[in-house]
Amino acid sequence: KKLRHSIIAVLFAISGLICWCGISQVISNSVSSAFANAFSIPPIVTTVVLVVLSAVIVLRKDATVKSLDVIVPIMAVCYFVMTVIIIAVNFRQLPAVLGRIFSEAFGLRQVAAGGFGAVLMNGVKRGLFSNEAGSGSAASCDDPVKMGFVQALGVLIDTVVICSCTAFMMLLAPANVTTGLTGMDLLQAAAQYHLGSFGVVFIAITLALFSFSTFIGILFYARSNVAYLFGNCWCYQTAYKIVALVMLFIGGLAAYTTVWDLGDVGVGLMTIFNLIALYPMGGQALNALKKAGK
């Protein structure tokens, strides 16, 4: 049977595949950096092991790791509790931290230098990358209104709560501990300051578990995109998995500042094309919301 395509849907599907290749790079880059800091393991070793384990899992038909369904939520709760304890112990510093956040985000120096726009743009990119709200990457539900509320709750928990806890943990560390550091080096330096060597190891292990579940999840999302573009054929599905594994390898060895670009481009294009498709259906969405409220 010949596939029927629309231009917007094709562009959205291609953007999704680009985005998830970019996320694969971010995953391996973060894990290799975390294990280098925690266990002094060279990035090439961590990357090779990560790619091999991922290949063993994802190249099987209907690949899944059910144990992660239990382990990852537990680790997420532990991480949240850990950051809340750190914030509670250092609660006297919170006013100074909040003042620093607002002064550096909205200060006259930043506005004059164009820093406000850069901060705003970077915040949008990282926020969209963390929850993919509005990008249409996970849109399958029997009730669109319920799905909308669930996704809104996901943004609150993921970006507002978890990301803010992480930011506070880093900002509550002295400047001499974190100055000049970025990415995983910055997070683990802050964790080491607050919790000692345990914090560095905990971040590395938690991140590795999150990464496995994320990588499997994005390949699950990619299946429908590949099927739409080329047909639900084993050879095409496997080809994309191999491409994703290659990107996983490249990301583990690349510089931190370069691995985000592909993912940012992909998720940005996904969101644009998704919003174009959603705009004509805005009236239907509002009617569904009104009916649900009755």
Side-chain angles (χ1 to χ4, degrees):
K1 184 178 179 180
K2 188 175 180 180
L3 293 173
R4 298 179 62 185
H5 300 98
S6 71
I7 295 177
I8 289 294
V10 168
L11 293 174
F12 174 84
I14 294 173
S15 301
L17 297 181
I18 293 172
C19 171
W20 295 318
C21 279
I23 293 177
S24 298
Q25 290 191 87
V26 174
I27 286 171
S28 57
N29 188 269
S30 299
V31 173
S32 63
S33 298
F35 273 65
N37 293 331
F39 309 109
S40 299
I41 300 175
I44 182 63
V45 175
T46 302
T47 302
V48 169
V49 172
L50 180 63
V51 171
V52 170
L53 290 177
S54 300
V56 170
I57 294 169
V58 303
L59 292 180
R60 293 178 354 203
K61 189 176 181 180
D62 299 324
T64 183
V65 181
K66 293 184 179 179
S67 60
L68 291 177
D69 294 340
V70 177
I71 296 174
V72 169
I74 293 174
M75 297 299 287
V77 171
C78 291
Y79 178 79
F80 173 71
V81 171
M82 179 188 76
T83 55
V84 169
I85 291 173
I86 290 172
I87 293 171
V89 170
N90 298 276
F91 74 95
R92 289 186 178 86
Q93 300 180 42
L94 286 180
V97 169
L98 290 171
R100 177 183 171 188
I101 291 172
F102 281 94
S103 66
E104 295 194 12
F106 304 106
L108 292 177
R109 177 175 60 83
Q110 286 76 16
V111 173
F116 175 73
V119 169
L120 180 63
M121 180 58 68
N122 202 48
V124 170
K125 289 193 295 184
R126 294 287 76 80
L128 185 57
F129 201 94
S130 71
N131 56 60
E132 298 186 21
S135 67
S137 60
S140 177
C141 184
D142 56 347
D143 185 347
V145 176
K146 180 172 67 176
M147 179 180 179
F149 283 117
V150 169
Q151 290 295 89
L153 180 63
V155 172
L156 174 65
I157 295 173
D158 181 18
T159 303
V160 177
V161 176
I162 299 298
C163 291
S164 295
C165 285
T166 301
F168 277 113
M169 180 172 66
M170 292 186 291
L171 291 171
L172 286 169
N176 64 308
V177 173
T178 58
T179 299
L181 300 178
T182 58
M184 195 50 54
D185 295 338
L186 173 59
L187 176 58
Q188 287 185 298
Q192 184 173 31
Y193 171 79
H194 293 295
L195 301 170
S197 58
F198 167 78
V200 180
V201 173
F202 179 78
I203 293 294
I205 295 174
T206 302
L207 184 65
L209 293 171
F210 286 161
S211 298
F212 265 113
S213 62
T214 301
F215 188 69
I216 293 169
I218 61 177
L219 289 182
F220 177 79
Y221 290 154
R223 288 196 312 183
S224 59
N225 290 36
V226 173
Y228 180 78
L229 291 171
F230 308 107
N232 194 19
C233 178
W234 177 86
C235 60
Y236 293 125
Q237 297 289 352
T238 303
Y240 181 75
K241 291 178 181 179
I242 293 173
V243 171
L245 289 168
V246 170
M247 300 304 287
L248 196 69
F249 179 79
I250 293 173
L253 305 179
Y256 171 78
T257 54
T258 63
V259 299
W260 290 91
D261 296 341
L262 192 62
D264 284 338
V265 170
V267 74
L269 290 175
M270 282 174 67
T271 305
I272 291 172
F273 296 134
N274 188 52
L275 292 177
I276 292 173
L278 288 177
Y279 181 76
M281 297 186 289
Q284 300 177 40
L286 292 174
N287 290 333
L289 181 61
K290 291 177 182 178
K291 289 180 181 178
K294 292 180 180 179

